[in-house]
Amino acid sequence: MVSSSRDIAKEIAKKYNVTLTSESLSAVAEIITTYRFKHRKFIQNEGDIAENILYIEKGLLRLYRIDNEEEILEQVVHENDMLISYESLFTGQPTSQLIQTIEPTIAHCIQYKQLKELAAKHEDVMNLMNAILENSIIKLRMESRLMRLKPIERYKALLYLDSEAVRRTPLKYIATYLDMAAETLSRVRSAINNNQEDYH
């Protein structure tokens, strides 16, 4: 059963430890649109202009780009998480990022322009919007730091940060996220399983 827009607004506020008044809660609920997507459905294509912040109630999605005909994974999100295509959302320019479901997904879309308009009228909604953006930026910074680590350290850090995403995401996608060949990732996994800490 899909949650109501008001319930989703409550869940998002709870996730970011922000208390919304009943009026603000209703206002946020009104700008939430719910969609069901099948497996491998494209939600955003290259060249689109991003307008929404996505809250995932159920399912798994990937955000990626294509570089020299290779898919480069940038984010994987699942239940109770947000997905934001920053480069287009903030600039209003066509995006180079694609969003595709990895599993059947229920996603709740919040139009960023409408959220900003609400934030200008309600201080608590402003707090919520800032918390969403700040949390997402922190997450992006943490993920960028992974790329400075050796392969086995990168994979261990990813397991620590989001073992659920690692478990559910196909190996080929995780490999591109970690900037390594699938064969290398397989060896990394084997090294971890065999406690070969000196792999690099």
Side-chain angles (χ1 to χ4, degrees):
M1 181 178 178
V2 180
S3 299
S4 69
S5 295
R6 190 175 179 85
D7 286 339
I8 291 302
K10 287 181 181 178
E11 285 298 316
I12 294 173
K14 180 180 179 182
K15 175 180 175 64
Y16 295 103
N17 297 313
V18 174
T19 300
L20 297 178
T21 64
S22 180
E23 179 184 0
S24 294
L25 196 62
S26 296
V28 172
E30 287 181 4
I31 64 171
I32 294 176
T33 305
T34 301
Y35 296 95
R36 287 179 177 269
F37 299 106
K38 296 181 179 179
H39 174 227
R40 301 191 69 179
K41 173 69 174 179
F42 281 97
I43 299 176
Q44 177 175 286
N45 290 289
E46 189 173 4
D48 289 349
I49 296 177
E51 297 179 341
N52 298 308
I53 295 172
L54 300 179
Y55 175 79
I56 313 308
E57 180 178 350
K58 182 180 180 181
L60 188 73
L61 303 93
R62 64 174 179 143
L63 182 148
Y64 69 100
R65 58 187 169 83
I66 299 176
D67 187 9
N68 293 323
E69 300 184 352
E70 292 187 10
E71 294 182 358
I72 308 298
L73 185 69
E74 296 186 349
Q75 290 185 60
V76 174
V77 297
H78 51 79
E79 291 83 4
N80 194 35
D81 207 351
M82 310 289 286
L83 180 58
I84 302 173
S85 183
Y86 282 100
E87 67 171 33
S88 179
L89 189 71
F90 293 158
T91 65
Q93 299 299 311
T95 184
S96 62
Q97 298 173 314
L98 299 91
I99 299 175
Q100 183 186 35
T101 61
I102 299 175
E103 300 173 356
T105 297
I106 298 173
H108 303 275
C109 300
I110 303 174
Q111 192 177 80
Y112 183 54
K113 180 180 178 180
Q114 291 180 316
L115 184 62
K116 288 197 298 182
E117 290 173 354
L118 284 182
K121 300 175 183 177
H122 305 277
E123 183 178 357
D124 50 352
V125 178
M126 175 67 79
N127 293 337
L128 177 61
M129 185 180 73
N130 288 340
I132 291 172
L133 299 180
E134 288 171 5
N135 184 273
S136 298
I137 290 171
I138 290 171
K139 184 177 179 181
L140 285 175
R141 287 176 177 172
M142 290 176 64
E143 291 169 346
S144 68
R145 290 179 185 142
L146 288 179
M147 308 317 297
R148 305 174 191 172
L149 304 176
K150 294 180 180 179
I152 195 166
E153 294 171 334
R154 264 185 259 161
Y155 184 66
K156 284 183 173 180
L158 187 59
L159 281 173
Y160 175 77
L161 290 172
D162 198 341
S163 61
E164 181 72 6
V166 174
R167 182 182 67 81
R168 293 162 58 183
T169 304
L171 177 68
K172 63 180 179 179
Y173 297 154
I174 295 295
T176 64
Y177 181 75
L178 296 172
D179 194 26
M180 63 176 72
E183 296 79 5
T184 303
L185 179 54
S186 292
R187 291 195 294 271
V188 167
R189 282 180 163 177
S190 296
I192 291 175
N193 291 336
N194 295 325
N195 295 317
Q196 296 175 2
E197 300 296 333
D198 60 341
Y199 185 89
H200 58 278

